[in-house]
Amino acid sequence: MSFAADILADTSRGLSGNEVVKAFNAYAVEHNVNIPHSTYPFEAQNKRTALLDNLKCFPPSLQFKIIRELCDHRTFINKQYDELKSLKVKLVSQFAHLAPKDEFSKLNETLTEETRHWLDGFPNALELYLQAIHKYKHGVFSRNLLDDLRLSLELLLKSIFKNDKSLENQLSNVGRFVSDAGSSKEFSNMLSKLIDYYAKYQNTYIKHDDAVVEEEIEFVFEISSSFMRHIIRLHAKSPSL
């Protein structure tokens, strides 16, 4: 917890004192917990100590939830903060057993965490991807969640290919890009075909407002993540493509 507090309340890159108070007051009210630092300025020595003291008042499962959600606070969006990335990885790799048992999310945390890391260089796509994660973890299984994922992938491709084409119209670019990066013809064809089916699936829900099948969302989320992660990896290896 001390490690988390040092990062989340870092003097120059972390949450402000007011943001710490606002966040923990909300958690305290929601879970009926008394916290020692509910106003700002703090009586504590500094905001790191105040955050840590407040965090200690919650049970381990809520500590996990709070730390993870604070890692996604708007303060950190689009910031290059390597220590925060380390905290996220440490959280999901070593303390996932502390996650609340009634959580909606069953996502592959390692996959989504890696995808978020690869999307750092593509802020518009990253913002939509984070929105989709937030909605999924809060049980918002809607076509809007699917739309976020689809647009995130679409914006990524627009940025890499430097055009303004829709997802459906990027298929030939994807195939050529993957092939030029050294992939086999069979893999290039497979990836293009998968994205084609993916776009058609998304359009069925997004355009016709059909009810989303909850059991399919996890798969769609993870295949979206796999598409983006692989494409960015290839781009990082050959940025001139």
Side-chain angles (χ1 to χ4, degrees), residues 155-199:
L155 288 174
L156 171 64
L157 295 178
K158 286 180 178 180
S159 179
I160 288 177
F161 299 144
K162 296 179 173 56
N163 63 37
D164 196 37
K165 294 183 179 181
S166 65
L167 181 60
E168 295 87 344
N169 292 318
Q170 296 281 25
L171 298 179
S172 60
N173 288 327
V174 169
R176 185 165 52 252
F177 168 79
V178 175
S179 179
D180 290 347
S183 299
S184 66
K185 178 181 178 181
E186 291 76 14
F187 182 84
S188 300
N189 290 338
M190 180 184 71
L191 187 60
S192 296
K193 183 60 70 175
L194 285 173
I195 294 178
D196 182 26
Y197 280 119
Y198 172 90

Side-chain angles (χ1 to χ4, degrees), residues 39-56:
T39 59
Y40 183 77
F42 304 118
E43 292 184 7
Q45 181 179 0
N46 52 51
K47 61 179 178 177
R48 298 182 189 185
T49 302
L51 190 152
L52 180 59
D53 289 346
N54 283 348
L55 190 60
K56 287 179 178 179

